[in-house]
């Protein structure tokens, strides 16, 4: 009997002592999927958010969409201001009367103005706030962040999803780096490395209206934005060095008008710091495999497989060029160690690093990087010789 | 009660017998009888029915050698029992040799009585008209075993009640018993609840003899032992335990015997009455005794060393011990090839876990842990939840409640109104409720899935046993979130692990882990690979067959 009473009382006490403090019904919460940060004229933060709509879509969507009407968006965008980010979000919460759920944020768009004035506070907030995930992507835009957040797209009822899918595909092809808040946090915390972020831009397209374009890299020094790396080849060079290129096409110009396109099927690059006469150097090895996607000219690779070796040599050169372009931009134009070479040397040569760290800003621009590319063309496609 | 022990009831009007209990208890007993309405109307008669007779009185009574005395005694005892039949015949049509035979109407095979008793006894033998020993004549003519000849009246009365034919012969102070038992019963049918795709189509019926026959038919072995018991003060229900000597563990068999012997109850109308008396832990939520209506399952269990308890009047046979892994096994596993058999068993186990936890998990995610909801699902969820008046926990509870009502209605309703219930259930509680915005679509999906998943367990009762823990986990998930849900699951598991069925750990061979026993628990190993019998049940290392 005593046991039975205890069995009843203990769960009741548990229920009472725990309570439902963190209870938060899903329909009473505002789920934010993306947010942008701008500055106002008086130096405050303006946060614009994409919040999932809790109301049902209005009826009659069946015949509406068939007439080619603009797809209804599933989000509402709201903005509020505050002296800090959390302050601004707090104001937003009050305005909505709902608890904000930050755990589904896909990306944060930072306007160039905010980036120039420093993003330390923002990165601190993303790392500190327990709801925020570590894999929120940091993006920089040249215009106003609120414009990006406000824009709806016909592709997806949730614009954040559309941007997310573009971002992931582009990153695989090496046209934009995906820098998460955790990456940014780590680069910012390192004494020698320079953070970077992807860039999102809004273009006016004649047919589709406003479209997002995700290319380029925004380079930071400490927490302040210093410039864009807009060259497509250099951007892919950066991604080659960071071992982030996993797919994509490489066009090899041949004699005359002929050219061959190689489709990458796998790629891998490794960084190995070495010491050359007491001077640090980096050995970068890129290995990739690919198939011929298209080809013009008078070649028959099935009959003369040697031609493939020639192509491979040319492909090596092209990739090498891209990498060297990226290196020269980072080393001379921006003088920012966005590849975190410093950390790689630190790991392999911790004793030497003590000296190197002090004057890394002088060492980095002069750092020698040996690039070695091994391309391998696997298959020629369904046909061998171009028909004409 | 063991056979031939008469109960100790008595009437308050009669004087206190020397061998009875204290007066208080006897009054209580008779009050109980009054409440249950088991006493007959004519209380003025001291021998109104056999139950109310003092056992000592009957015990003392021997069968008289005078036929008239016997007849009078029986008529007296079975007063107001219109179904008793007493017929007088003259053996060999000789006026000197009269005999009466007594039986209960419709409880014996009438044709056999006419053919084998009346005809044989009445017809004159060709050679002689003089019979030196009438008792031997009747005994050998009808082929009555010596042990079926009773000299005590109480034994004869019991035989009558057990629907046997009792013959009293004038001048013989013994009752001769012939078993022409044929109580009304239906014929063997197909199983109704435990359907199988390719298994045998026989099911147990209400007659214990037929049920024993159905088992014996499958196990032609001298070691198949069938021990009779009689339980129930009023009903005197026949109960038999079946086991295979040498395979079933003696300790468990003894345990079953002991527990059955301890039962002291008025009526055993179904074997659930027994079940509750012999269970290991009455407060445990899941059954520790297996019930089945399929003789092939019972036979399969018996050769594994399990013990079956067959009760008269119930088309369900109890099998002990019953472990958790057994509840995940269906007959069809063994009638399918073992790869698909194994896969189906896994699916069933997953369904078991899902039906318990899914509503709680769903509610916990929606009320506490929005960050755990997959991103793609958030949009769908938040839209389906829009405008629903109830919080998700109460929504889930009310839907499960509605489902429980529907299920109950489905069982109780007359078959003719069946379609009405299903239409109302499907349309009103499903579609219309969603369209009206009373419940969200996802809740309906979750509740429906949970309800359907419960039906995959091979034991039909499991459906009902799963309901309380499901509600408990749902409530914990809705009030304490994931913490509560995991805590609830842990309490449930601890409860399950600590339970026992006739001394065998309920969760064995999973907890405690017995690697050698897993071949028929986690997977359905092919028959040829299972060389050893389950040590868990037999407690000895015994081989099922020689390895090839």
């Amino acid at each position: 009997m005593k046991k039975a009473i205890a069995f009843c009382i203990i769960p009741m006490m548990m229920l009472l002592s725990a309570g439902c403090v963190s209870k938060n019904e899903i329909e009473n919460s505002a789920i934010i999927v993306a947010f942008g940060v701008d500055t106002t004229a008086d130096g405050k933060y303006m946060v614009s958010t994409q919040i999932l709509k809790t109301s049902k879509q209005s009826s009659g969507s069946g015949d509406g969409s068939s007439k080619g009407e603009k797809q209804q968006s599933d989000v509402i965008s709201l903005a509020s201001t505050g002296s800090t980010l959390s302050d601004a979000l707090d104001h937003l919460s009050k305005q909505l009367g709902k608890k904000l759920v930050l755990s589904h944020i896909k990306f944060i768009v930072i306007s160039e103005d905010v980036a120039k004035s420093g993003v330390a506070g923002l990165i601190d907030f993303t790392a500190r706030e327990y709801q925020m995930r570590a894999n929120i992507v940091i993006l920089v835009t040249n215009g106003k962040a609120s414009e990006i957040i406000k824009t709806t797209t016909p592709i997806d009822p949730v614009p954040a999803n559309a941007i997310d899918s573009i971002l992931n595909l582009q990153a695989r092809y090496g046209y934009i780096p995906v820098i998460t808040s955790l990456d940014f946090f780590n680069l910012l915390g390192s004494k020698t490395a320079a953070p970077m972020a992807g860039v999102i831009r809004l273009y006016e397209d004649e047919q589709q209206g406003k479209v997002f374009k995700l290319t380029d890299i925004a380079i930071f020094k400490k927490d302040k934005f210093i410039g864009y790396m807009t060259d497509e080849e250099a951007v892919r060079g950066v991604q080659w060095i960071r071992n982030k290129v996993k797919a994509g096409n490489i066009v090899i110009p041949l004699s005359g008008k002929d050219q061959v396109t190689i489709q990458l099927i796998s790629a891998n690059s490794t960084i190995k710091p070495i010491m050359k006469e007491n001077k640090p150097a980096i050995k970068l090895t890129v290995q990739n495999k690919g198939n011929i996607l298209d080809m013009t000219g008078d070649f028959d690779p099935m009959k003369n497989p040697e031609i493939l070796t020639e192509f491979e040599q040319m492909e090596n050169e092209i990739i090498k060029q891209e990498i060297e372009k990226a290196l020269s931009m980072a080393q001379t134009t921006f003088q920012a160690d966005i590849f975190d070479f410093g950390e790689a040397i630190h790991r392999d040569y911790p004793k030497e690093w003590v000296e190197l760290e002090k004057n890394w800003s002088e060492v980095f621009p002069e750092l020698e990087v040996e690039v070695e590319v091994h391309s391998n063309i696997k298959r020629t496609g369904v046909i061998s010789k171009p028909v004409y | 009660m063991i056979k031939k022990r008469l109960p100790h009831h008595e009437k308050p009007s009669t004087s206190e017998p020397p061998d009875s209990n204290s007066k208080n208890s006897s009054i209580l007993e008779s009050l109980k009888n009054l409440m249950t309405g088991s006493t007959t109307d004519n209380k003025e008669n001291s021998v109104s029915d056999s139950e109310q007779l003092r056992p000592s009185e009957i015990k003392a009574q021997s069968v008289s050698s005078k036929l008239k005395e016997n007849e009078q005694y029986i008529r007296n005892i079975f007063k107001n029992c219109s179904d008793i039949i007493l017929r007088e015949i003259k053996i060999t049509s000789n006026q000197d040799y009269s005999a009466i035979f007594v039986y209960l109407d419709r409880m014996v095979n009438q044709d056999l009585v006419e053919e084998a008793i009346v005809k044989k006894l009445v017809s004159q033998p060709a050679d002689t008209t003089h019979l030196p020993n009438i008792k031997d004549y009747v005994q050998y003519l009808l082929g009555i075993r010596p042990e079926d000849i009773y000299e005590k009246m109480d034994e004869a009365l019991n035989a009558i009640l057990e629907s046997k034919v009792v013959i009293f012969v004038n001048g013989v102070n013994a009752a001769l018993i012939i078993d022409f038992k044929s109580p009304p019963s239906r014929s063997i049918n197909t199983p109704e609840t435990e359907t199988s795709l390719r298994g045998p189509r026989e099911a147990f019926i209400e007659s214990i003899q037929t049920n024993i026959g159905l088992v014996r038919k499958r196990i032609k072995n001298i070691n198949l032992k069938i021990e009779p018991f009689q339980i129930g003060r009023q009903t005197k229900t026949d109960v038999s335990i079946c086991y295979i000597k040498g395979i079933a563990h003696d300790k468990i068999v003894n345990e079953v015997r002991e527990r059955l012997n301890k039962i002291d109850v008025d009526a055993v109308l179904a074997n659930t009455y027994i079940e509750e008396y012999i269970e290991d832990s009455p407060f445990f939520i899941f059954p520790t005794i297996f019930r089945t209506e399929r003789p092939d399952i019972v036979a399969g269990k018996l050769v594994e060393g399990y013990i079956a308890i067959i009760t008269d009047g119930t088309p369900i046979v109890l099998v002990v011990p019953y472990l958790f892994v057994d509840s995940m096994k269906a007959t069809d596993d063994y009638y399918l090839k073992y790869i698909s058999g194994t896969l189906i068993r896994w699916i069933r186990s997953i369904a078991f876990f899902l039906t318990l936890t899914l509503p709680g998990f769903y509610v916990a995610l929606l009320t506490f842990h929005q960050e755990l909801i997959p991103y793609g699902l958030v949009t769908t969820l938040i839209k389906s939840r829009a405008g629903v008046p109830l919080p998700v926990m109460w929504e889930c509870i009310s839907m499960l409640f509605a489902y429980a009502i529907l299920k109950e209605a489905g069982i109780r309703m007359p078959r003719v109104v069946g379609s009405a219930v299903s239409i109302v259930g499907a349309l009103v509680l499903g579609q219309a409720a969603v369209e009206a915005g009373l419940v969200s679509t996802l809740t309906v999906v979750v509740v429906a899935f949970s309800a359907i998943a419960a039906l995959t367990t091979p034991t039909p009762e499991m459906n009902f046993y799963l309901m309380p823990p499901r509600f408990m986990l749902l409530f914990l998930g809705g009030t304490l979130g994931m913490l509560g849900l995991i805590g609830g699951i842990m309490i449930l598991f601890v409860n399950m692990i600590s339970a026992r069925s006739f001394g065998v750990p309920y969760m064995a061979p999973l907890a405690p882990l017995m690697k050698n026993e897993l071949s028929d628990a986690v997977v359905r190993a092919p028959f040829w690979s299972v060389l050893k019998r389950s040590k868990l049940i037999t407690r000895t290392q015994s081989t099922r067959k020689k390895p090839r």
Side-chain angles (χ1 to χ4, degrees):
Chain A
M1 196 58 202
K2 265 183 189 170
K3 260 190 189 173
I5 292 170
F7 197 77
C8 294
I9 287 177
I10 290 171
M12 276 163 74
M13 279 164 66
M14 273 165 66
L15 283 177
L16 291 174
S17 56
C20 305
V21 176
S22 58
K23 182 169 179 279
N24 184 28
E25 297 275 341
I26 192 164
E27 63 269 24
N28 294 330
S29 50
I31 296 174
I32 299 178
V33 287
F35 84 85
V37 187
D38 287 303
T39 43
T40 55
D42 52 350
K44 280 185 173 179
Y45 282 115
M46 188 182 92
V47 173
S48 39
T49 53
Q50 252 177 43
I51 298 170
L52 288 179
K53 266 187 201 168
T54 42
S55 62
K56 269 189 185 160
Q57 271 191 3
S58 57
S59 57
S61 61
D63 52 350
S65 59
S66 62
K67 283 173 191 163
E69 278 175 24
K70 209 175 177 185
Q71 194 180 350
Q72 240 184 339
S73 170
D74 273 353
V75 293
I76 41 170
S77 44
L78 290 169
S80 72
T81 53
S83 43
T84 61
L85 282 175
S86 45
D87 187 36
L89 285 172
D90 201 40
H91 286 155
L92 185 66
S93 178
K94 269 185 230 158
Q95 193 180 321
L96 278 170
K98 285 181 174 182
K99 199 184 161 193
L100 300 181
V101 174
L102 304 176
S103 48
H104 285 291
I105 293 177
K106 286 265 174 194
F107 57 84
I108 297 175
V109 182
I110 307 168
S111 75
E112 212 181 290
D113 297 342
V114 176
K116 273 181 187 157
S117 64
V119 292
L122 176 103
I123 297 301
D124 185 81
F125 176 64
T126 56
R128 203 178 290 278
E129 160 64 55
Y130 75 97
Q131 282 191 47
M132 294 259 214
R133 297 185 186 202
N135 63 356
I136 298 173
V137 179
I138 306 285
L139 293 170
V140 173
T141 183
N142 55 347
K144 289 194 72 132
S146 58
E147 282 299 317
I148 305 275
I149 298 296
K150 249 188 258 175
T151 307
T152 55
T153 143
I155 303 161
D156 199 300
V158 180
N161 285 355
I163 291 176
D164 191 50
S165 51
I166 299 170
L167 190 66
N168 285 330
L169 196 77
Q170 292 280 67
R172 264 181 79 75
Y173 279 73
Y175 294 124
I176 190 169
V178 176
I179 303 293
T180 64
S181 59
L182 183 67
D183 294 338
F184 204 100
F185 186 80
N186 286 337
L187 289 171
L188 200 57
S190 159
K191 277 179 184 164
T192 55
M196 60 174 170
V199 176
I200 185 169
R201 288 194 174 94
L202 211 52
Y203 278 87
E204 201 72 46
D205 188 281
E206 278 181 18
Q207 288 180 330
Q208 298 170 35
K210 284 177 179 170
V211 279
F212 302 112
K213 197 168 182 187
L214 288 113
T215 49
D216 307 351
I217 302 176
I219 312 275
F220 287 73
K221 205 149 202 184
K222 292 292 121 190
D223 71 324
K224 290 188 174 62
F225 169 77
I226 51 169
Y228 295 112
M229 188 187 277
T230 45
D231 190 313
E232 207 172 83
E233 287 172 15
V235 171
R236 189 149 77 172
V238 171
Q239 292 296 79
W240 277 117
I241 297 167
R242 293 178 70 232
N243 188 17
K244 295 290 177 187
V245 179
K246 295 294 160 199
N249 296 336
I250 289 165
V251 181
I252 307 171
L254 301 169
S255 58
K257 272 186 165 180
D258 298 340
Q259 48 188 10
V260 176
T261 311
I262 309 290
Q263 185 186 31
L264 293 175
I265 50 174
S266 75
N268 189 33
S269 50
T270 48
I271 292 173
K272 175 81 189 141
I274 44 172
M275 277 290 166
K276 264 188 178 174
E277 299 150 6
N278 281 335
K279 278 179 80 182
I282 298 285
K283 197 174 175 209
L284 177 72
T285 319
V286 177
Q287 277 177 321
N288 69 76
K289 286 176 191 166
N291 295 335
I292 295 178
L293 200 63
D294 65 42
M295 181 163 81
T296 52
D298 187 20
F299 308 106
D300 194 349
M302 292 298 252
K303 271 189 186 150
N304 313 306
E306 312 86 63
I307 196 78
L308 289 179
T309 325
E310 257 177 63
F311 288 166
E312 283 168 4
Q313 293 299 331
M314 287 188 234
E315 196 192 339
N316 286 353
E317 277 309 305
I318 288 167
I319 294 172
K320 206 170 175 179
Q321 269 177 30
E322 287 179 350
I323 292 170
E324 267 158 10
K325 225 173 196 173
L327 282 170
S328 80
M329 283 193 96
Q331 285 180 312
T332 55
T333 317
F334 297 110
Q335 303 199 345
D337 182 9
I338 50 174
F339 317 108
D340 208 3
F341 283 152
E343 196 52 42
I345 295 170
H346 184 192
R347 270 197 292 272
D348 281 24
Y349 300 97
K351 281 179 195 155
E352 287 85 342
W353 176 247
V354 180
E355 281 302 309
L356 284 170
E357 190 184 3
K358 288 171 191 162
N359 45 8
W360 183 249
S361 52
E362 282 99 59
V363 176
F364 177 71
E366 304 298 318
L367 191 71
E368 192 188 332
V369 181
E370 273 177 44
V371 184
E372 211 174 284
V373 185
H374 303 284
S375 300
N376 188 357
I377 297 172
K378 285 291 198 191
R379 274 172 279 272
T380 62
V382 179
I383 54 166
S384 171
K385 194 176 173 232
V387 69
Y388 174 69
Chain B
M1 295 294 107
I2 309 187
K3 209 172 183 176
K4 291 169 196 103
R5 216 181 108 202
L6 276 172
H8 298 263
H9 286 251
E10 54 211 276
K11 259 182 85 76
S13 56
T14 54
S15 63
E16 198 176 327
D19 65 333
S20 74
N21 306 327
S22 72
K23 191 168 187 173
N24 279 345
S25 76
S26 72
I27 289 169
L28 268 175
E29 290 284 315
S30 52
L31 268 175
K32 218 196 246 171
N33 282 345
L34 273 173
M35 302 290 236
T36 54
S38 66
T39 41
T40 47
D41 295 332
N42 40 344
K43 284 181 197 136
E44 72 281 353
N45 199 327
S46 64
V47 275
S48 55
D49 73 15
S50 67
E51 270 310 316
Q52 301 305 315
L53 274 171
R54 280 177 292 174
S56 56
E57 203 172 84
I58 297 183
K59 266 223 170 89
Q61 184 78 37
S62 308
V63 177
S64 161
S65 60
K66 284 180 185 140
L67 191 63
K68 284 290 160 212
E69 274 178 26
N70 287 334
E71 189 185 344
Q72 196 53 46
Y73 187 78
I74 289 192
R75 279 196 195 283
N76 216 355
I77 280 185
F78 285 104
K79 193 168 188 174
N80 288 356
C81 296
S82 62
D83 58 342
I84 192 87
I85 293 182
L86 278 95
R87 292 170 65 179
E88 188 164 354
I89 50 165
K90 302 290 177 198
I91 295 172
T92 67
S93 304
N94 190 331
Q95 288 300 319
D96 299 337
Y97 304 124
S98 53
I100 55 167
F101 55 98
V102 187
Y103 58 87
L104 290 170
D105 195 14
R106 305 289 160 204
M107 298 290 272
V108 298
N109 192 332
Q110 206 82 21
D111 294 342
L112 272 176
V113 170
E114 298 300 332
E115 281 288 321
I117 304 177
V118 180
K119 241 187 191 171
K120 266 188 184 172
L121 287 178
V122 173
S123 62
Q124 277 179 310
D127 49 346
T128 175
T129 50
H130 178 71
L131 299 169
N133 188 340
I134 187 68
K135 187 184 160 198
D136 284 359
Y137 178 77
V138 174
Q139 186 185 340
Y140 296 124
L141 185 72
L142 299 180
I144 296 167
R145 299 181 297 172
E147 61 262 36
D148 279 343
I149 298 173
Y150 299 144
E151 291 185 353
K152 292 280 180 217
M153 205 44 140
D154 65 322
E155 293 172 330
L157 289 177
N158 276 340
I160 295 171
L161 289 173
E162 281 164 22
S163 33
K164 293 171 180 172
V165 181
V166 178
I167 305 173
F168 296 97
V169 183
N170 197 15
V172 179
N173 60 345
L176 296 91
I177 314 293
I178 303 174
D179 193 351
F180 284 159
K181 198 187 277 187
S182 171
S185 72
R186 63 191 171 104
S187 56
I188 296 168
N189 256 327
T190 50
E192 275 175 17
T193 47
E194 291 165 74
T195 47
S196 154
L197 214 54
R198 279 283 180 257
R201 299 282 148 81
E202 280 175 333
F204 286 120
I205 60 162
E206 286 78 0
S207 151
I208 187 167
Q209 273 77 24
T210 315
N211 290 351
I212 290 172
L214 283 172
V215 173
R216 176 68 89 178
K217 180 172 109 177
R218 288 176 167 78
I219 305 171
K220 300 171 191 76
N221 188 335
I222 44 167
N223 287 322
L224 174 63
K225 304 294 180 195
I226 293 152
E227 289 181 15
F229 289 83
Q230 223 172 35
I231 305 173
R233 286 170 179 234
Q234 309 287 346
T235 58
K236 286 187 191 148
T237 311
D238 287 318
V239 175
S240 289
I241 63 169
C242 299
Y243 59 93
I244 298 183
K245 204 172 165 56
I247 299 180
H249 192 250
D250 289 339
K251 268 191 182 165
I252 304 180
V253 176
N254 269 336
E255 188 65 38
V256 175
R257 273 190 210 122
E258 259 172 46
R259 290 189 191 180
L260 285 180
N261 279 338
K262 275 182 194 159
I263 300 176
D264 187 5
V265 65
D266 258 0
V268 177
L269 298 179
N271 53 18
T272 334
Y273 289 60
I274 299 178
E275 203 181 320
E276 280 192 10
Y277 278 99
I278 61 173
E279 259 177 340
D280 283 59
S281 33
F283 296 111
F284 184 51
I285 214 155
F286 293 122
T288 52
I289 293 172
F290 178 53
R291 310 175 194 184
T292 182
E293 55 171 350
R294 301 180 60 96
D296 56 324
I297 293 182
V298 172
K301 293 273 182 201
L302 286 179
V303 294
E304 288 289 312
Y306 290 78
I307 299 148
I309 302 167
I310 307 179
T311 313
D312 199 22
T314 321
I316 306 290
V317 168
L318 305 179
V319 179
V320 294
Y322 183 46
L323 309 182
F324 177 73
V325 286
D326 292 331
S327 57
M328 291 294 120
K329 295 175 188 172
T331 20
D332 272 330
D333 294 356
Y334 299 97
Y335 300 132
L336 285 171
K337 292 198 81 169
Y338 57 88
I339 294 174
S340 31
T342 302
L343 189 68
I344 287 172
R345 192 172 281 179
W346 288 350
I347 289 172
R348 216 178 285 130
S349 311
I350 294 168
F352 177 84
F353 191 72
L354 281 183
T355 188
L356 272 178
T357 56
L358 189 68
F361 184 68
Y362 168 74
V363 168
L365 279 197
L366 257 70
T367 18
F368 290 95
H369 311 284
Q370 282 95 4
E371 68 275 7
L372 289 183
I373 305 171
Y375 182 78
L377 212 61
V378 174
T379 336
T380 326
L381 264 175
I382 201 163
K383 267 195 214 161
S384 80
R385 281 291 304 157
V388 177
L390 284 174
V392 67
M393 182 180 84
W394 292 109
E395 189 192 0
C396 247
I397 285 179
S398 56
M399 282 307 282
L400 275 175
F401 187 64
Y403 166 68
I405 290 174
L406 265 186
K407 191 169 66 178
E408 195 56 22
I411 296 169
R412 309 278 162 241
M413 70 184 175
R415 292 282 166 259
V416 271
V417 293
S419 55
V421 169
S422 49
I423 288 169
V424 167
L427 288 180
V428 176
L429 287 174
Q431 212 178 342
V434 170
E435 273 174 21
L438 291 175
V439 289
S440 65
T441 21
L442 238 97
T443 307
V444 175
V445 171
V446 164
V447 168
F449 183 83
S450 162
I452 291 292
L455 297 174
T456 58
T457 48
T459 354
E461 291 93 358
M462 211 46 155
N463 210 333
F464 300 92
Y465 296 137
L466 283 172
M467 210 146 53
R470 192 193 293 144
F471 271 116
M472 186 188 85
L473 291 179
L474 170 57
F475 186 71
L476 283 173
T479 49
L480 299 177
M482 226 39 170
L483 178 81
L485 186 71
I486 301 289
I489 291 173
M490 274 169 68
I491 291 170
L492 190 70
F493 277 7
V494 165
N495 196 7
M496 281 165 83
I497 287 166
S498 59
R500 271 160 191 275
S501 172
F502 285 80
V504 182
Y506 182 66
M507 287 301 276
L510 304 173
L513 186 68
M514 299 169 173
K515 279 179 190 154
N516 297 334
E517 304 289 322
L518 292 177
S519 60
D520 198 30
V522 175
V523 294
R524 203 289 261 171
F527 290 127
W528 43 259
S529 79
V530 186
L531 304 176
K532 300 242 164 66
R533 289 195 191 94
S534 172
K535 204 180 167 187
L536 201 61
I537 307 298
T538 60
R539 298 289 175 87
T540 44
Q541 198 66 61
S542 53
T543 40
R544 185 194 292 261
K545 65 171 217 170
K546 290 263 186 307
R548 279 193 289 195

